[in-house]
Amino acid sequence: PIYCAKKTKTHKDELGICRVLLAELEAHQDAWPFLTPVNHRAVPGYRKVIKKPMDFSTIKEKLTSNQYLNLETFIIDVNLVFDNCERFNEDDSEIGRAGHRMRRFFDKRWTELLQ
Ligand SMILES: Cn1cc(C(=O)NCCN2CCCC2)ccc1=O
């Protein structure tokens, strides 16, 4: 098109995209390590090493209680899940590999949804 205005997204539009993205993350077969908060009693060292724990159920609670200002603050929390995973797990481990696959899936999906 000759004239291509950037379509701004309202707060409502962005939150709708967050809901879609979170549902797809939760449904992914590699989501199992990230669905609920890491049990720091069962995982030695986790509480000491990971200063800002985050998981998909916590993100869902924040989303439904309107704690995300926009898509960006939501993406920051999702990336925190994957950054925590990389910090605590070997790349060559079940959970480490799941984290890399989930991050790759997320990056692809939110860029697709924003095009
Ligand atoms: C993200 N992450 C997760 C764990 C973990 O053990 N999650 C529980 C996985 N189980 C699945 C069925 C019951 C619980 C450990 C380290 C870590 O960085």
Side-chain angles (χ1 to χ4, degrees):
I2 299 163
Y3 176 72
C4 178
K6 236 180 150 6
K7 194 122 183 39
T8 51
K9 290 207 174 348
T10 67
H11 177 74
K12 279 241 173 306
D13 299 336
E14 295 204 344
L15 291 191
I17 292 171
C18 294
R19 272 185 221 100
V20 166
L21 284 168
L22 183 59
E24 291 185 10
L25 287 171
E26 290 172 325
H28 196 288
Q29 70 166 12
D30 294 319
W32 56 271
F34 315 108
L35 293 173
T36 56
V38 175
N39 178 355
H40 55 74
R41 285 178 205 80
V43 183
Y46 198 82
R47 184 161 52 180
K48 181 79 175 135
V49 170
I50 299 300
K51 303 304 176 194
K52 291 170 68 180
M54 188 49 64
D55 70 284
F56 296 161
S57 73
T58 303
I59 291 174
K60 177 174 247 164
E61 177 52 36
K62 288 180 71 172
L63 196 54
T64 49
S65 57
N66 206 20
Q67 293 181 56
Y68 290 118
L69 291 176
N70 50 34
L71 186 57
E72 189 199 357
T73 52
F74 168 82
I75 290 174
I76 287 166
D77 264 359
V78 175
N79 283 329
L80 179 56
V81 174
F82 302 142
D83 293 342
N84 288 345
C85 183
E86 275 203 56
R87 180 158 303 122
F88 195 79
N89 300 277
E90 295 293 333
D91 288 336
D92 185 23
S93 67
E94 278 306 311
I95 292 177
R97 273 189 297 279
H100 287 298
R101 288 196 295 265
M102 289 302 297
R103 184 200 293 278
R104 193 164 47 241
F105 171 78
F106 180 67
D107 287 346
K108 181 170 176 293
R109 281 301 289 140
W110 78 259
T111 45
E112 282 168 357
L113 282 178
L114 249 66
Q115 257 160 22

